[in-house]
Amino acid sequence: MTTLQTIFFLFFIVPLVKLVPPIQQESLNLYEYDTDIFEELYKQDYEDKSQDAIKKKVFHLYYKLLELQRDESVPKVPPTKDTNLPTCLLCVCLSGSVYCEEIDIIAIPPLPKETAYLYARFNKIKRVAVSDFADIPTLRRIDLTGNMIDEIEDGAFSKLLLLEELSLAENKLIRLPVLPPKLITFNANYNRIKSRGIRANAFKKQTNLSYLYLAHNTLESVPLNLPETLRVLHLQFNNITSITDDTFCKSNNTRYIRSRMDEIRMEGNPIILAKHPNAFSCLKTLPVGAYY
């Protein structure tokens, strides 16, 4: 172990051991770089010895190292066995759940294999890449509420065949990603999504989707091809100005009933719902919204 690695271990890792119980996880190898780079990273004031402060500073350093690792201009040497910084020393890992909340991370952290639940709310994540979840097919719930995400690579969730709940609320999205097939709950409230940012067949194959939350966006119309399984649909406080007889019902089938739909919220939109009575003929209850 080099001198710098020893310092890092003694001053940063040891104080964190008491924070999280030991959990087995596949190692993430970090590469060694020129000594000058590390010396610059360590020129910080560590007078505040509280565990929370140390933990946050370690996380910033951790992601700085990841950025350097991706930088081809930085000379690299083969990884060593002593340069491991498991995510579970910085997040909390409990029985398949990983909690990385309010710690100012800027990217999805490397996850332990067989992670089922990821909670990374209220951080500074800006982007979701295909590689973030490519090796974690066991995920059932992902909660990225309250980040700064404005880009999601195509296929980022495509391999998550077990994913049932996905929250991207309170981010900066302008379009929806391709959703995994077994999703039950999808939340994209409080984004910047417009109707053109939702593919026409985005929900067509979602045969399990029951709860869809798209409130507080900038949609001009109700999304097309809503699945029969849908129970709750939130579209309040968008910019929806019109609907058709086929938006929720089937104009060519007067006997059709959308039996599972329990709640549609459309208040806060400029549309006057009373002008479209035939659009609700198949529903058990009328949508919430303005009627005059």
Side-chain angles (χ1 to χ4, degrees), residues 12 16 24 36 40 59 63 65-66 69 115 132 137 139 150 160 191 264 267 289-290:
F12 302 111
L16 294 175
Q24 292 183 349
D36 292 342
E40 183 176 351
F59 238 125
Y63 282 100
L65 293 174
L66 288 180
Q69 182 177 333
T115 297
D132 289 334
L139 278 164
D150 58 12
L160 304 181
N191 276 277
I264 300 176
E267 71 271 23

Coordinates of all heavy atoms in Angstrom, one line a residue, residues 12 16 24 36 40 59 63 65-66 69 115 132 137 139 150 160 191 264 267 289-290:
F12 N -10.0 8.5 6.2 CA -11.3 8.6 5.6 C -12.2 7.3 5.8 O -13.3 7.3 6.1 CB -11.2 8.9 4.1 CG -10.5 10.2 3.9 CD1 -9.3 10.2 3.3 CD2 -11.1 11.4 4.2 CE1 -8.6 11.4 3.1 CE2 -10.4 12.6 4.0 CZ -9.2 12.6 3.4
L16 N -15.5 5.8 8.8 CA -16.8 5.4 8.3 C -17.2 4.0 8.6 O -18.3 3.6 8.4 CB -16.7 5.6 6.7 CG -16.6 7.0 6.2 CD1 -16.4 7.0 4.7 CD2 -17.8 7.9 6.7
Q24 N -20.8 -7.7 1.9 CA -20.0 -8.2 0.8 C -20.5 -7.5 -0.5 O -21.6 -7.4 -0.8 CB -20.2 -9.7 0.7 CG -19.6 -10.5 1.9 CD -19.7 -11.9 1.7 OE1 -20.3 -12.4 0.8 NE2 -19.0 -12.7 2.5
D36 N 1.3 14.1 -8.0 CA 0.9 15.5 -8.0 C -0.7 15.6 -8.0 O -1.2 16.5 -7.3 CB 1.4 16.2 -9.2 CG 3.0 16.3 -9.1 OD1 3.5 16.2 -8.0 OD2 3.6 16.6 -10.1
E40 N -2.9 17.4 -4.8 CA -3.8 18.5 -5.0 C -5.2 18.2 -4.4 O -5.9 19.0 -3.8 CB -4.0 18.8 -6.5 CG -4.8 20.0 -6.7 CD -4.9 20.4 -8.2 OE1 -4.1 19.8 -9.0 OE2 -5.7 21.3 -8.6
F59 N -17.2 11.2 -0.4 CA -18.0 11.0 -1.5 C -17.6 11.9 -2.7 O -17.5 11.5 -3.8 CB -19.5 11.2 -1.2 CG -20.4 10.1 -1.5 CD1 -21.2 9.5 -0.5 CD2 -20.3 9.4 -2.8 CE1 -22.0 8.4 -0.8 CE2 -21.1 8.3 -3.0 CZ -21.9 7.8 -2.0
Y63 N -16.0 10.5 -6.4 CA -16.4 10.8 -7.7 C -15.4 11.6 -8.5 O -15.3 11.5 -9.7 CB -17.8 11.5 -7.7 CG -18.9 10.5 -7.4 CD1 -19.5 10.4 -6.2 CD2 -19.3 9.7 -8.5 CE1 -20.4 9.4 -6.0 CE2 -20.3 8.7 -8.2 CZ -20.9 8.6 -7.0 OH -21.8 7.7 -6.8
L65 N -12.3 10.9 -8.3 CA -11.4 9.8 -8.7 C -12.0 9.1 -9.9 O -11.3 8.7 -10.8 CB -11.1 8.8 -7.5 CG -10.3 9.4 -6.4 CD1 -10.3 8.3 -5.3 CD2 -8.9 9.7 -6.8
L66 N -13.3 8.9 -9.9 CA -14.0 8.2 -11.0 C -13.9 9.1 -12.3 O -13.6 8.5 -13.4 CB -15.5 8.0 -10.7 CG -15.8 6.9 -9.7 CD1 -17.3 6.8 -9.5 CD2 -15.2 5.6 -10.1
Q69 N -10.5 8.6 -13.5 CA -10.3 7.3 -14.1 C -10.8 7.3 -15.6 O -10.2 6.6 -16.4 CB -11.1 6.3 -13.3 CG -10.9 4.8 -13.8 CD -11.6 3.9 -12.9 OE1 -11.8 4.1 -11.7 NE2 -12.0 2.7 -13.5
T115 N -28.8 -6.1 -6.1 CA -29.5 -5.0 -5.5 C -30.9 -5.0 -6.0 O -31.1 -5.1 -7.2 CB -28.8 -3.6 -5.8 OG1 -27.5 -3.6 -5.3 CG2 -29.7 -2.5 -5.3
D132 N -25.1 2.2 -16.0 CA -25.4 2.3 -14.6 C -26.2 1.1 -14.0 O -26.0 0.7 -12.9 CB -26.3 3.5 -14.3 CG -25.5 4.8 -14.5 OD1 -24.2 4.8 -14.3 OD2 -26.1 5.9 -14.8
P137 N -29.8 -6.8 -13.0 CA -31.1 -7.1 -13.5 C -32.1 -7.4 -12.4 O -33.3 -7.6 -12.7 CB -30.8 -8.4 -14.4 CG -29.6 -9.0 -13.8 CD -28.8 -7.8 -13.3
L139 N -33.0 -5.4 -10.0 CA -33.7 -4.2 -9.5 C -35.2 -4.3 -9.6 O -35.7 -4.6 -10.7 CB -33.2 -3.0 -10.2 CG -31.8 -2.5 -9.7 CD1 -31.2 -1.5 -10.7 CD2 -32.0 -1.8 -8.3
D150 N -31.3 15.5 -16.6 CA -31.9 16.0 -17.8 C -31.6 15.1 -19.0 O -32.0 15.4 -20.1 CB -31.4 17.4 -18.1 CG -29.9 17.5 -18.2 OD1 -29.2 16.5 -18.3 OD2 -29.3 18.6 -18.2
L160 N -33.9 -4.2 -17.2 CA -34.5 -4.3 -15.9 C -35.9 -5.0 -16.0 O -36.9 -4.3 -15.8 CB -34.6 -3.0 -15.2 CG -33.2 -2.2 -15.1 CD1 -33.4 -0.9 -14.4 CD2 -32.2 -3.1 -14.4
N191 N -41.4 17.7 -13.8 CA -40.4 17.8 -14.8 C -40.7 18.9 -15.8 O -41.5 19.8 -15.5 CB -40.1 16.4 -15.4 CG -39.2 15.5 -14.6 OD1 -38.0 15.6 -14.6 ND2 -39.9 14.7 -13.8
I264 N -58.7 10.0 -12.3 CA -58.1 10.8 -13.3 C -58.1 12.3 -12.8 O -59.2 12.8 -12.6 CB -58.7 10.8 -14.7 CG1 -58.7 9.3 -15.2 CG2 -58.0 11.7 -15.7 CD1 -59.5 9.2 -16.5
E267 N -57.1 18.8 -13.0 CA -57.2 20.2 -12.6 C -56.0 21.0 -12.9 O -54.9 20.4 -13.0 CB -57.6 20.3 -11.1 CG -56.5 20.0 -10.2 CD -56.4 18.5 -9.8 OE1 -56.9 17.7 -10.6 OE2 -55.8 18.2 -8.7
G289 N -61.4 18.1 -12.4 CA -60.9 19.3 -13.2 C -62.0 20.3 -13.3 O -63.0 20.2 -12.7
A290 N -61.8 21.3 -14.2 CA -62.7 22.4 -14.4 C -63.8 22.0 -15.4 O -63.5 21.5 -16.5 CB -62.0 23.6 -14.9

